[in-house]
Amino acid sequence: DFPRELNGLARYDGAFFCPLELEGVGKSYYRSVTSLLRDRQGHIWIGTWHGDLYQYDGETLHLVVENTGIVGDWKLSNLAED
């Protein structure tokens, strides 16, 4: 079962869904994930409604790009690897 109180991004460990804490955002992150991409190295890239970009390497989530508001409030809706 998926816990109803779990919001945001989670990882299934084979028995439970475990929330992934986003670096520098903590438990208040609850930002909508708008895009996911698994790259050739197996890393997961995560784009959010607020324009932030994260990379998950299998153990740690890293904030790669933070929308500082300079270009307004925009969502990151598409990810692609070339």
Side-chain angles (χ1 to χ4, degrees):
D1 280 330
F2 194 82
R4 292 186 182 270
E5 67 276 0
L6 182 63
N7 292 313
L9 194 60
R11 181 177 69 81
Y12 185 66
D13 68 3
F16 301 101
F17 285 96
C18 305
L20 294 175
E21 302 271 336
L22 298 183
E23 177 182 297
V25 181
K27 292 185 184 242
S28 65
Y29 114 81
Y30 303 126
R31 296 179 176 188
S32 297
V33 172
T34 55
S35 53
L36 293 171
L37 171 74
R38 182 171 184 226
D39 68 19
R40 290 180 196 93
Q41 290 78 37
H43 299 142
I44 305 294
W45 294 82
I46 304 151
T48 70
W49 179 265
H50 297 281
D52 298 333
L53 178 64
Y54 297 87
Q55 180 201 48
Y56 179 61
D57 62 14
E59 295 184 18
T60 307
L61 275 165
H62 304 278
L63 177 60
V64 178
V65 175
E66 180 178 18
N67 178 7
T68 59
I70 293 173
V71 293
D73 194 21
W74 50 278
K75 68 178 178 177
L76 203 138
S77 59
N78 295 303
L79 294 173
E81 181 177 19
D82 63 5

